[in-house]
Amino acid sequence: MCLDIVNDKVLTYEQKVLGLGRCAENSLDVLNISEEVKKYREENIICDLYEGNAPYRPRYIVVNFEKFMKEGSEFLRLNPPKDIWEAVNNLLIFYKHIPSITSFPVYIGNIDYLLDPFVKDEEEAYRAIKIFLNHIDRTITDSFCHANIGPKDTKAARLILKAERELENSVPNITLKYGKDTPDELAIESIKTALVVAKPSFANDEMFKNDLGEYGIASCYNGLKIGGGAYTLVRLNLGRLVNKAESMDQFFNYLLPDAVENMVSYIDERIRFLVEESNFFESSFLVREGFIDKDLFTGMFGMVGLAQCVNKLFEIEKIEGRFGHCKEADDLGIKIVEAMEKLLDKYNNTYCKCTGGKHLLHAQVGIDSDVGISPGCRIPIGEEPDLYKHLIQSSKFHKYFPSGIGDIFPFEPTAKNNLKSVLDIIKGSFKSDMRYMSIYSSDSDLIRITGYLVKKSEIEKLSKGHQVLKDTVVLGKGAVDNHGILNRRVRNNESLSK
């Protein structure tokens, strides 16, 4: 395996170094895992999403960048910035020292708020912001890097959106925190940008705040507490678990409780090793200088394949209907999610203080090897109903997933002439308790794979055996090949006019 990485002609040097690091970590056997958990892992029912065998850093870190900008860093010998150039320079230096599961920062802050105090001359600030964004795109070579803007309007936010349309970079991913403080003008500017470069996505700010308090959107669409993050994200593949079912009663009374119990034990063991043995929280300057706090971290209980689980249970019980297309199937989906929520509430972890000792439910976006398994609670690609039915169906599930759930809606290019109509759709969706949604135009080179962005042109280069800068292009190619990402239902003018 390691030699294969060394000899690979397509991987860049940086990609080889990261791959060899994962090889070394996975050569260790340090976690106390039961035989039941091992079996679930072998069956790909429980999956740790390539976190590795020896957790030595949290999966997701949501740094308190506001503190950094106000105080600087003793360890990095950085004083608080005095102008736009020092501001972007300090942030770019800081990003190099923030670990995560990808070895790159998965959250780089509410960048409009961080930079706006230094926007004096807009022409100069625009030049600095473009250099800042290009530097991120060329050095953080992983599309799970995520920036936030909003909810309030700022000059910096407008300049960032303008720059993104001009640069068409895949990194960073961006979310607009949309709420009562967000003016229509900023939302329209965000929609205009999203229909060119598939970002920003839109987060229901009130919903996230009610669940988490001060939060950041990291990685794909993960809501986590500022100054903390997630120790780990392990997921349960309901689409594979259901293949063991002989009846609906057996699924609810035995299979699901047993899988949840074993997965919680695995999450707890990963957290135990990270906190008690890896010494991350004792050795990191991020902790020492107060940019993160162990008490603001939690565990994430992910799930995928709800649609396949519902459809299989209907098949077993000889009931007609499919997930996303009839009330009975959707009601069963809600019953499954509520059962998971109730089961999860039985367990406590002493290291998840910020969430009352509980792991947070998360609708995981899937991985490239998930053949025939839909992300989270999504309707399978190719089976999407009309837009308004889709939005109403989707929003039923969002309240159960405080750490993140999202849906994706591609539009025809003509939507660029109907920005106000798209905003009305977002407003209506959030009033219906949708937590998070993404849009893009079908003619964009940048496409949203699940929760991250990849360029179609980069996938084409990789398919021809050429090197690509970002390792997530490999994941994007797998998702296109295995999941039919390019076959999502495209919404047209009729959808916008209803």
Side-chain angles (χ1 to χ4, degrees), residues 115-130:
L115 297 178
D116 197 62
F118 308 99
V119 177
K120 307 302 181 186
D121 179 298
E122 289 195 28
E123 185 176 342
E124 181 182 29
Y126 186 59
R127 180 165 168 255
I129 284 169
K130 284 200 297 182

Side-chain angles (χ1 to χ4, degrees), residues 291-412:
F291 301 126
I292 60 173
D293 183 337
K294 182 177 66 178
D295 289 345
L296 294 174
F297 281 78
T298 191
M300 295 171 69
F301 186 105
M303 52 75 66
V304 292
L306 181 65
Q308 288 72 31
C309 184
V310 168
N311 292 341
K312 181 66 174 181
L313 288 174
F314 265 34
E315 180 185 321
I316 290 169
E317 298 291 345
K318 296 181 170 53
I319 303 171
E320 291 188 6
R322 288 186 69 77
F323 183 78
H325 292 275
C326 73
K327 182 179 183 301
E328 294 76 13
D330 293 343
D331 287 347
L332 178 57
I334 290 170
K335 182 180 177 181
I336 293 168
V337 172
E338 288 182 342
M340 279 195 300
E341 184 182 53
K342 188 174 180 180
L343 289 165
L344 195 57
D345 195 52
K346 291 167 51 180
Y347 303 98
N348 285 281
N349 185 297
T350 188
Y351 295 119
C352 297
K353 292 181 181 178
C354 67
T355 50
K358 307 298 180 185
H359 302 306
L360 297 182
L361 269 177
H362 178 76
Q364 202 267 328
V365 297
I367 53 178
D368 58 325
S369 58
D370 284 339
V371 178
I373 300 293
S374 298
C377 301
R378 291 183 196 166
I379 297 170
I381 291 173
E383 298 184 22
E384 302 98 326
D386 291 342
L387 179 60
Y388 289 90
K389 290 180 181 177
H390 195 166
L391 292 168
I392 290 168
Q393 190 274 351
S394 174
S395 64
K396 295 175 183 176
F397 295 90
H398 282 220
K399 66 181 180 181
Y400 298 102
F401 297 91
S403 68
I405 182 172
D407 283 272
I408 302 172
F409 302 95
F411 285 91
E412 285 186 348

Side-chain angles (χ1 to χ4, degrees), residues 117-182:
F118 308 99
V119 177
K120 307 302 181 186
D121 179 298
E122 289 195 28
E123 185 176 342
E124 181 182 29
Y126 186 59
R127 180 165 168 255
I129 284 169
K130 284 200 297 182
I131 289 172
F132 172 69
L133 293 172
N134 267 338
H135 187 107
I136 291 169
D137 183 70
R138 306 308 193 271
T139 60
I140 301 177
T141 54
D142 184 281
S143 298
F144 295 110
C145 170
H146 208 123
N148 297 175
I149 60 173
K152 294 180 181 178
D153 199 0
T154 61
K155 288 181 182 178
R158 304 293 186 106
L159 295 175
I160 289 163
L161 292 169
K162 178 183 175 184
E164 286 291 349
R165 293 195 298 271
E166 179 181 338
L167 299 173
E168 297 191 30
N169 291 332
S170 60
V171 179
N173 200 347
I174 300 177
T175 289
L176 170 67
K177 297 176 174 179
Y178 181 86
K180 61 181 184 299
D181 294 328
T182 309

